Structures are given as C-alpha cells and as structure tokens.
Amino acid sequence: MRIDIVTIFPEFFSVLDVSLLGKARTSGLLDLGVHDLRDFTHDRHRTVDDTPYGGGAGMVMKPEPWGEAFDDILGALSSGESAEQATVIFPSPAGERFTQAMARELAEEPHLVFGCGRYEGIDQRVIDYTATRARVREISLGDYVLNGGEVAVMAMIEAIGRLVPGVVGNPASLTEESHEDGLLEYPSYTKPAQWRGLTVPPVLTSGNHGAIAAWRHEQQLERTRRVRPDLLN
Ligand code: ADE
C-alpha cells in the first residue's frame, strides 16, 4: 500500500519509523511519503493560511499550496495507477466517524493520501476540486476537536496499516479483538496464576476449550453491555 501525507509538521510522522509499521515500511509492505505543505508555497514566509472570507475567528488554509501538493502526488503516480484509484482523506471533526469497519475497507485500497488541516480548516475548494480527480473522504476520529489532523491521521494509519496483510505477524490476533465482531474484547491473563492476591479465572486453566470460549463470549457481552450498550443495537 502506498500512503502519502501532506502536513505542515512532517516531523510529526517520524514515529512511523518504529514498531510494526516501521517494520512494514522496511519490508516494503507500506510505502510512505511525507510532504511538507510549505514546500508548495512561493513566498518568502512560506505562507499556508489567510483570513476567512465572511469574517470570523482564526485562519483558513489557502488553496494554492494544497492544489500544487496534490498535483504533485496525484500527477506522479506509478505506472498503471490513475488518480481515480487514489483515496484522499481529509481528517476533520465534521467528517464521517472512523470505525474498525472503515479501517478494514481502507486497508484494501492501493493508495491513500492524507491532507492534514490546521487552523479553522482548509479552503473548501481544495476538497471539491480534489473530488473531481480522486475519491475523497472527510473522516473524524471522534466527537471532539483536535488542534489539527496530524494525530487523527496517525491513529488512522495505525488502525489501517495493521490490517494490511503481512503487517501483523499472526493474523489470528486481528480477529479476536475489540470491534472485530461488534463486541468489546474479553479480558486477558498471563502467568503467574496468583499475583498480589488476585487469581486468574479458574476456567482459563481448566483445559476445557469449549468452556473457555463460552466464558470469553459471556465476558465480551457483559463488558459491552456495561461500557458500550450502544454497540448492542
Ligand atoms: N481535526 C480536528 N479534530 C479532528 C477530529 N476529531 N477528527 C479528525 N480530524 C480532526
């Protein structure tokens, strides 16, 4: 999978060098390009924002640098790929909500491009114009406001990247976790069986695989009912 990120804080994404995603990059499973939006400006101050038309607080990201950045990324596609095959994602608290199902869907895409907005957002024409050349989605991490899209994009790339075949060594560990079957995951335990007066639930050391599976499912239901009843509907 190819991933491009456009941001005014490219150094933010240096953490993608470590852990499983770092390994996936080294092995070629993930091909990542981080682009500094200011490299597409032409003034001495490398300006990326301006005051909003119609007035109001804060600054809006100017369309020109974004247009040039996307021209560069979508215009220089590898042989055989057309811009329509790229999905451009704008993280935004005004977007559709990011879910595990969406992560699964996006993990199938050959090319994702993330545009990290800051300030009061990006000039709407950037999103409208980009939608004439590629698939565009505005995606929110949740019902709260971040200072910019970078943290949201990091979270999305981690959630999507680990679903790309080969990135996580043992694929079984991807199926038995929260949200994969619409429920929260069951609690896990490891050795020692006794720790600070707390004991591992006896069923887990019984060797009875049917009973263990039933207990885990019941734990999932109980936890989901208690913490996230909305998931049960
Ligand atoms: N940018 C600012 N807040 C955001 C959010 N909640 N999700 C995605 N991008 C954002």
Side-chain angles (χ1 to χ4, degrees), residues 51-134:
T51 53
Y53 276 120
M59 301 288 270
V60 175
M61 294 191 106
K62 294 163 64 60
E64 304 97 314
W66 283 105
E68 288 193 29
F70 288 140
D71 285 347
D72 202 51
I73 293 165
L74 299 175
L77 297 170
S78 54
S79 62
E81 187 189 357
S82 67
E84 297 84 66
Q85 281 173 283
T87 298
V88 181
I89 296 169
F90 293 99
S92 161
E96 48 181 330
R97 177 84 154 264
F98 189 62
T99 61
Q100 186 67 20
M102 199 185 285
R104 240 181 278 124
E105 189 188 317
L106 292 170
E108 310 263 316
E109 297 288 338
H111 187 188
L112 300 178
V113 182
F114 292 92
C116 302
R118 283 260 149 187
Y119 315 114
E120 295 308 305
I122 305 172
D123 187 303
Q124 181 63 35
R125 290 169 294 180
V126 173
I127 292 133
D128 297 343
Y129 180 81
T130 307
T132 66
R133 326 184 44 198

Side-chain angles (χ1 to χ4, degrees), residues 1-232:
M1 171 186 278
R2 169 78 190 175
I3 295 178
D4 287 287
I5 303 167
V6 184
T7 171
I8 57 169
F9 296 119
E11 63 277 16
F12 222 103
F13 294 94
S14 56
V15 291
L16 289 173
D17 290 339
V18 299
S19 190
L20 276 181
L21 293 187
K23 249 202 257 168
R25 290 180 68 185
T26 311
S27 69
L29 285 171
L30 287 183
D31 177 18
L32 185 77
V34 182
H35 312 265
D36 187 343
L37 182 67
R38 293 192 199 276
D39 289 346
F40 300 93
T41 60
H42 302 286
D43 64 312
R44 209 155 53 84
H45 300 291
R46 311 205 333 139
T47 310
V48 293
D49 61 336
D50 209 332
T51 53
Y53 276 120
M59 301 288 270
V60 175
M61 294 191 106
K62 294 163 64 60
E64 304 97 314
W66 283 105
E68 288 193 29
F70 288 140
D71 285 347
D72 202 51
I73 293 165
L74 299 175
L77 297 170
S78 54
S79 62
E81 187 189 357
S82 67
E84 297 84 66
Q85 281 173 283
T87 298
V88 181
I89 296 169
F90 293 99
S92 161
E96 48 181 330
R97 177 84 154 264
F98 189 62
T99 61
Q100 186 67 20
M102 199 185 285
R104 240 181 278 124
E105 189 188 317
L106 292 170
E108 310 263 316
E109 297 288 338
H111 187 188
L112 300 178
V113 182
F114 292 92
C116 302
R118 283 260 149 187
Y119 315 114
E120 295 308 305
I122 305 172
D123 187 303
Q124 181 63 35
R125 290 169 294 180
V126 173
I127 292 133
D128 297 343
Y129 180 81
T130 307
T132 66
R133 326 184 44 198
R135 255 168 298 143
V136 164
R137 298 181 76 161
E138 291 181 80
I139 301 178
S140 171
L141 210 56
D143 295 341
Y144 43 80
V145 180
L146 303 166
N147 278 333
E150 282 79 6
V151 166
V153 167
M154 277 297 317
M156 288 187 232
I157 289 177
E158 179 143 330
I160 296 163
R162 63 196 292 280
L163 298 176
V164 171
V167 171
V168 170
N170 178 5
S173 65
L174 295 176
T175 55
E176 292 184 14
E177 56 191 11
S178 291
H179 302 296
E180 274 303 332
D181 56 4
L183 298 173
L184 303 183
E185 67 190 342
Y186 53 78
S188 300
Y189 300 85
T190 186
K191 292 174 238 3
Q194 291 272 354
W195 178 75
R196 298 193 178 185
L198 300 173
T199 312
V200 169
V203 62
L204 296 179
T205 51
S206 68
N208 181 340
H209 298 294
I212 292 171
W215 179 86
R216 285 177 167 166
H217 187 66
E218 188 44 50
Q219 290 290 312
Q220 285 191 283
L221 286 171
E222 187 281 322
R223 184 182 264 186
T224 308
R225 240 182 259 124
R226 177 165 46 85
V227 182
R228 290 292 305 278
D230 55 299
L231 295 178
L232 291 172

